Amino acid sequence: MNTKQRILNAALTLLNEEGETAISAVDIANALEISPGNLYYHFKGKEEIIPALYDAFEEEMQIILQSGSKDMRSIEDQWIFAYIVLEEIWDFRFFYRNLDSILDRYPVLAPKFKRLLNAKRKAIRANLNNLIQLDYLHIDEVLLDTLVEQNLLCFTYWLNLQEIEQRKIPAQTAIHQSVFQIMTLSVPYMGEAGFDALQGMQALLKKNLAPK
Amino acid sequence: MNTKQRILNAALTLLNEEGETAISAVDIANALEISPGNLYYHFKGKEEIIPALYDAFEEEMQIILQSGSKDMRSIEDQWIFAYIVLEEIWDFRFFYRNLDSILDRYPVLAPKFKRLLNAKRKAIRANLNNLIQLDYLHIDEVLLDTLVEQNLLCFTYWLNLQEIEQRKIPAQTAIHQSVFQIMTLSVPYMGEAGFDALQGMQALLKKNLAPK
């Protein structure tokens, strides 16, 4: 692995663990046992590292969203899609935990993040439309719009809300609970099948959270 | 108004407009045209101003939550309750916009905010239970739990999500759209009456957002 990639990896670990405001470029150099000068040769400080990490995140996320928009055949497929999206967000959670303040301080990221929100919104709508076509969901047009927005809100902020209430919650617990929360949003639109679907989701949650 | 209160008012305005990370104690003194020494006589810098503002916010919010938990007689009452809560959050929006990073940097606030989240959760549940008793809502126990959490998530983060996508959105628009989003969460549990309720909410949103 080249030094540039090693810097990004070390930065990501530190930022996720300590939070964006707590970590300086010097902290990152220290963690790698390289000189600050060596780090500055690759990145002109944190203000270049954060956008580089964001670009890596967005690239991966766009691939996930594009592949996730098609081939949604069942509720289980939707569960897995939600899981993969949230796992990716968890891997870059420093960004979501300080979302507003990072977007304020790195103006280059604000339009990029808006673009990503729109891609997420589009993928969520495609998924829900798939479930409607498969006759799993029956929903009014206006409520479909609000359901898409609720999904988007959950995908963006649910992990944060959990972390505020249960500091240092394990990744697996946080992600599975978020998936459950997102999935239950669709249950009232499943008609008679909603009750069974909900029980299936509860069983899946319990199984996934059981100690291995 | 005494100097202490004037400092808090000026700080709140600046923090809401410019964001928490952008504003220093000296900026606040400058806005008031007082010397930094005069400000420091009342507050030992931002690290005392932010918790003082939070305490003022929590005190007002607890009163709103307590009065809002009772006497919920209709969907309109719930609409008004949601509006008042979100208006209060808007008045202290600097805090919500940098929620995670402020809670990291002001450890005294983390347990207080958890307490407030619980009070909000309790008020939301009391409201929804009222609507169930009035026969407006018909909902399974598990879904009631997830509906309470989804309401809480909306009350905490919806304004932020709107601001990220539409910088400088007017307060009235942001708040009314958030109320609409929160209210639609209950619609699928209203049975036959849900369709009429949704139309009523849409009309209310349109009326409230019409230019005066």
Side-chain angles (χ1 to χ4, degrees), chain A residues 75 78-80 82-83 86 151 154-155 158 162 172-187 194 196-206 208-209, chain B residues 140-147 149-150:
Chain A
I75 306 292
Q78 211 199 354
W79 182 286
I80 292 164
Y83 188 91
L86 287 165
N151 270 271
C154 272
F155 274 115
W158 193 268
Q162 285 190 82
Q172 212 202 0
T173 309
I175 295 172
H176 279 300
Q177 283 177 355
S178 298
V179 174
F180 180 71
Q181 183 68 25
I182 290 168
M183 296 296 298
T184 56
L185 288 170
S186 296
V187 168
D196 290 343
L198 182 63
Q199 287 202 314
M201 288 174 197
Q202 283 181 283
L204 206 51
L205 180 67
K206 206 173 154 190
N208 283 320
L209 291 186
Chain B
D140 170 88
E141 280 291 313
V142 177
L143 290 177
L144 177 59
D145 289 344
T146 62
L147 181 61
E149 295 305 308
Q150 195 61 30

Side-chain angles (χ1 to χ4, degrees), chain A residues 67-135:
Chain A
S67 70
S69 303
K70 36 190 185 224
D71 289 335
M72 192 68 49
R73 273 162 224 260
S74 64
I75 306 292
E76 287 71 27
D77 284 353
Q78 211 199 354
W79 182 286
I80 292 164
F81 172 70
Y83 188 91
I84 294 170
V85 170
L86 287 165
E87 206 174 31
E88 185 66 24
I89 289 176
W90 180 269
D91 288 346
F92 289 84
R93 63 192 176 281
F94 82 91
F95 182 72
Y96 281 78
R97 293 197 67 227
N98 287 302
L99 194 51
D100 301 281
S101 107
I102 291 178
L103 295 181
D104 278 348
R105 284 176 295 119
Y106 297 84
V108 66
L109 297 184
K112 292 185 180 188
F113 188 68
K114 273 174 75 170
R115 182 176 65 197
L116 186 60
L117 278 178
N118 273 325
K120 243 190 255 182
R121 181 178 273 128
K122 224 173 120 185
I124 291 166
R125 190 175 284 274
N127 277 342
L128 292 174
N129 275 331
N130 260 334
L131 294 179
I132 290 169
Q133 273 164 14
L134 290 166
D135 215 28

Side-chain angles (χ1 to χ4, degrees), chain B residues 10-192:
Chain B
L12 184 56
T13 304
L14 282 175
L15 290 163
N16 279 338
E17 280 172 9
E18 308 292 333
E20 193 269 333
T21 46
I23 294 300
S24 68
V26 174
D27 293 327
I28 299 164
N30 287 344
L32 282 168
E33 297 181 358
I34 62 175
S35 70
N38 190 353
L39 185 142
Y40 274 78
Y41 173 79
H42 297 283
F43 295 102
K44 294 198 182 4
K46 228 170 77 171
E47 53 274 40
E48 283 192 8
I49 292 175
I50 303 266
L53 286 172
Y54 178 80
D55 287 345
F57 166 66
E58 189 180 336
E59 199 181 316
E60 289 176 33
M61 187 59 100
Q62 292 282 12
I63 294 168
I64 293 169
L65 293 177
Q66 269 156 39
S67 70
S69 303
K70 35 192 185 222
D71 290 333
M72 191 68 49
R73 273 161 224 259
S74 64
I75 306 292
E76 287 72 27
D77 284 352
Q78 213 199 353
W79 182 286
I80 291 164
F81 172 70
Y83 188 89
I84 294 169
V85 170
L86 287 165
E87 206 176 31
E88 185 66 25
I89 289 175
W90 180 269
D91 288 346
F92 290 83
R93 64 193 175 281
F94 82 91
F95 182 73
Y96 280 77
R97 292 197 68 227
N98 286 302
L99 194 52
D100 300 281
S101 107
I102 291 179
L103 295 180
D104 278 349
R105 284 177 294 120
Y106 298 84
V108 66
L109 297 184
K112 291 185 181 187
F113 188 69
K114 274 174 73 171
R115 181 176 65 199
L116 185 60
L117 278 178
N118 273 325
K120 242 190 255 182
R121 182 177 273 128
K122 225 173 120 184
I124 292 166
R125 189 176 285 274
N127 277 342
L128 293 174
N129 275 330
N130 260 334
L131 294 179
I132 291 169
Q133 273 165 14
L134 292 166
D135 216 29
Y136 284 116
L137 295 187
H138 305 93
I139 184 168
D140 170 88
E141 280 291 313
V142 177
L143 290 177
L144 177 59
D145 289 344
T146 62
L147 181 61
V148 170
E149 295 305 308
Q150 195 61 30
N151 269 272
L152 185 66
L153 186 73
C154 274
F155 274 115
T156 309
Y157 286 114
W158 193 269
L159 291 170
N160 285 7
L161 189 63
Q162 284 192 84
E163 268 203 289
I164 285 174
E165 295 205 275
Q166 311 165 53
R167 306 305 281 182
K168 307 280 173 202
I169 185 173
Q172 210 200 3
T173 310
I175 294 172
H176 279 300
Q177 282 177 354
S178 298
V179 174
F180 179 71
Q181 187 67 27
I182 289 169
M183 295 297 297
T184 57
L185 286 168
S186 297
V187 169
Y189 304 107
M190 291 182 187
E192 294 285 316

Side-chain angles (χ1 to χ4, degrees), chain A residues 5-15 28 31-32:
Chain A
Q5 194 55 50
R6 281 178 58 223
I7 293 169
L8 290 177
N9 291 357
L12 184 56
T13 305
L14 282 175
L15 291 164
I28 299 164
L32 282 169

